[in-house]
């Protein structure tokens, strides 16, 4: 029997929709891009021109009345996530929310409760769980190659000292805004996935750009303190003039792993490559991380390149796993449990509290 095709509606038609969702939806045979909600089409940004065979709505309230829509993907700015996800769940749709999930932990728990009440699937697009470098690290930890971990550093730094060209919602203070919500949620999610929830948190949120009078926090450093003594340092910077940006540096009793460069999938998608295209997500060989291990007998240290996983997993895996969850009708099968995404938002709130009060806080 042929697999059922699920109709998907995407709310919003900005970078998130065009780069991170539509190409992946179109790459999964069991999914059909049924409709797009775009409130204000522009001559150079018009969903109806880009997708002439897709139904176009100008209001989410109208779209959710369409009984043929099975799944709603929310890709609009963070302050709108709660209301749009709630609207879709109340109208019987399964929901995928772009990260950050919602601005507050309270809102996250409300949506989780509503999904349970309506018996609909709810998940959050923490796509960097499928970064090839992250999964390479996951393998090193699972095989105990590095031994007991004492320090974990994870960066998403760039050199963008000017706000020119930045999206409005990414350059002004608003609920769910700032570096901690934008890229910081990726780093927190990955860290918690690897090591669990920390015991304490110390954070520094602020702006590295000179002359920024908006109050927008473009950078963050978050320290997660674990009960076994491990310290995780998560960092997002906008002033980092490096020819190659540090991504991971993990140190343990038996070895260390240092990795530069970010996963290439985002760049490939922005270039128009699709997840089914040859070479998608594949790093250049010279991007390999460096693995240093110790000989326990004499303490000799040996360093060598450690190739990233090949073939790489891709962000398409998020949607293929969501299809499997639809088949099983089990919330536990979704690619990212909303409870886990809610835990990330709680840590963000505690990070903000730590930064505002200038102290380490308990989790």
């Amino acid at each position: 029997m042929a697999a059922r095709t699920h109709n998907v509606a995407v709310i919003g038609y900005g970078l998130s929709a065009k780069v991170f969702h539509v190409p992946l939806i179109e790459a999964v045979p069991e999914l059909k891009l049924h409709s797009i909600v775009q409130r204000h089409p522009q001559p150079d940004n018009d969903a109806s021109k880009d997708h002439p065979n897709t139904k176009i709505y100008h209001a989410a309230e109208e779209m959710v009345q369409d009984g043929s829509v099975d799944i709603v993907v929310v890709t609009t700015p963070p302050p709108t996530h709660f209301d749009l996800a709630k609207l879709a769940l109340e109208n019987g749709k399964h929901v995928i929310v772009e990260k950050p999930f919602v601005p507050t932990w309270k809102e996250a728990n409300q949506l989780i409760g509503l999904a349970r009440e309506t018996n609909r699937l709810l998940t959050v697009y923490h796509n960097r769980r499928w970064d090839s470098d992250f999964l390479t690290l996951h393998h090193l930890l699972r095989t105990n190659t590095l031994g007991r971990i004492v320090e974990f550093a994870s960066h998403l730094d760039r050199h963008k000292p000017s706000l020119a060209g930045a999206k409005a919602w990414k350059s002004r203070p608003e609920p769910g805004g700032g570096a901690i919500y934008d890229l910081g949620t990726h780093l927190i999610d990955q860290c918690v996935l690897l090591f669990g929830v920390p015991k304490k948190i110390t954070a520094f949120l602020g702006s590295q750009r000179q002359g920024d009078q908006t109050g927008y926090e473009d950078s963050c450093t978050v320290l997660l303190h674990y009960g076994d003594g491990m310290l995780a340092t998560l960092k997002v910077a906008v002033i980092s003039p490096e020819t190659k940006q540090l991504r991971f540096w993990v140190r343990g009793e038996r070895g260390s792993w240092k990795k530069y460069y970010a996963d290439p999938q985002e760049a490939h998608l922005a270039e128009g490559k699709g997840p089914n295209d040859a070479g998608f997500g594949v790093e250049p060989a010279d991007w390999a991380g460096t693995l240093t291990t110790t000989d326990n007998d004499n303490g000799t240290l040996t360093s060598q390149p450690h190739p990233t996983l090949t073939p790489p997993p891709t962000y398409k895996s998020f949607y293929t796993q969501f299809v499997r969850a639809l088949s099983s009708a089990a919330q536990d099968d979704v690619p990212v449990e909303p409870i886990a995404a809610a835990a990330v938002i709680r840590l963000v709130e505690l990070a903000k509290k730590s930064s505002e009060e200038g102290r380490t806080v308990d989790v």
Side-chain angles (χ1 to χ4, degrees):
M1 186 174 70
R4 180 191 166 189
T5 299
H6 304 275
N7 289 329
V8 183
V10 175
I11 304 179
Y13 197 62
L15 176 69
S16 173
K18 291 188 280 189
V19 172
F20 288 108
H21 291 278
V22 169
L24 304 181
I25 293 165
E26 294 182 325
V28 178
E30 297 88 351
L31 299 177
K32 178 185 177 182
L33 182 63
H34 173 276
S35 49
I36 296 171
V37 179
Q38 185 180 27
R39 287 194 303 167
H40 304 297
Q42 303 295 322
D44 60 347
N45 182 29
D46 189 334
S48 66
K49 294 178 181 177
D50 297 339
H51 302 277
N53 297 319
T54 297
K55 196 166 186 178
I56 305 300
Y57 288 101
H58 299 299
E61 292 77 7
E62 184 182 1
M63 177 275 294
V64 295
Q65 299 302 317
D66 189 333
S68 59
V69 171
D70 303 305
I71 305 162
V72 169
V73 182
V74 178
T75 73
T76 48
T80 67
H81 286 187
F82 176 78
D83 287 340
L84 291 173
K86 181 174 181 286
L87 176 69
L89 288 169
E90 288 175 338
N91 282 273
K93 315 302 183 187
H94 303 292
V95 176
I96 297 169
V97 184
E98 176 61 272
K99 68 83 208 161
F101 187 6
V102 280
T104 70
W105 187 43
K106 179 180 178 181
E107 290 173 323
N109 287 320
Q110 284 182 268
L111 290 180
I112 291 168
L114 182 58
R116 191 178 299 117
E117 291 172 14
T118 57
N119 197 29
R120 298 291 88 183
L121 299 182
L122 172 65
T123 190
V124 180
Y125 189 66
H126 276 295
N127 58 305
R128 287 193 176 274
R129 291 187 177 197
W130 290 270
D131 279 359
S132 57
D133 49 16
F134 173 69
L135 290 175
T136 299
L137 171 59
H138 189 273
H139 176 74
L140 289 171
L141 297 180
R142 190 173 64 247
T143 55
N144 201 34
T145 301
L146 307 181
R148 182 178 66 88
I149 303 302
V150 297
E151 284 198 78
F152 171 81
S154 179
H155 290 231
L156 281 173
D157 301 329
R158 301 151 293 164
H159 188 57
K160 293 186 176 181
S162 171
L163 267 175
K167 297 293 184 182
W169 70 270
K170 289 192 175 185
S171 60
R172 66 188 180 210
E174 62 181 13
I180 186 72
Y181 280 100
D182 184 20
L183 295 177
T185 49
H186 280 310
L187 302 184
I188 294 171
D189 179 65
Q190 288 183 336
C191 189
V192 171
L193 197 62
L194 292 176
F195 303 109
V197 176
K199 295 294 185 182
K200 298 176 183 292
I201 186 167
T202 311
F204 308 89
L205 314 183
S207 176
Q208 293 182 339
R209 294 183 175 110
Q210 189 174 32
D212 180 6
Q213 303 299 319
T214 67
Y216 179 78
E217 296 167 336
D218 60 30
S219 304
C220 63
T221 298
V222 179
L223 307 180
L224 301 182
H225 310 259
Y226 283 83
D228 62 357
M230 193 201 81
L231 178 67
T233 302
L234 314 180
K235 192 173 185 66
V236 177
V238 292
I239 297 182
S240 182
E242 303 286 347
T243 55
K244 57 180 186 179
Q245 300 287 357
L246 179 65
R247 181 62 186 90
F248 290 107
W249 190 7
V250 188
R251 292 182 282 188
E253 288 183 325
R254 297 176 56 187
S256 71
W257 182 68
K258 183 179 283 189
K259 178 74 171 64
Y260 292 89
Y261 305 106
D263 180 278
Q265 290 180 79
E266 178 176 350
H268 287 175
L269 287 166
E271 292 165 4
K273 288 184 180 179
N276 294 334
D277 293 342
F280 179 81
V282 177
E283 291 186 346
D286 60 358
W287 284 20
T290 299
L291 177 64
T292 300
T293 54
T294 180
D295 185 324
N296 289 330
D297 293 331
N298 56 29
T300 302
L301 294 172
T302 303
S303 293
Q304 60 185 350
H306 185 76
T308 305
L309 288 177
T310 303
T314 70
Y315 300 158
K316 176 183 172 183
S317 301
F318 175 93
Y319 275 100
T320 56
Q321 188 171 333
F322 191 74
V323 168
R324 289 196 293 272
L326 290 168
S327 297
S328 67
Q331 179 65 56
D332 290 347
D333 291 339
V334 297
V336 177
E337 270 282 359
I339 291 176
V344 170
I345 298 302
R346 178 169 178 262
L347 289 174
V348 167
E349 290 183 333
L350 291 174
K352 289 167 66 67
K353 178 182 177 69
S354 169
S355 182
E356 290 167 0
E357 298 181 0
R359 65 183 182 91
T360 297
V361 300
D362 294 327
V363 174

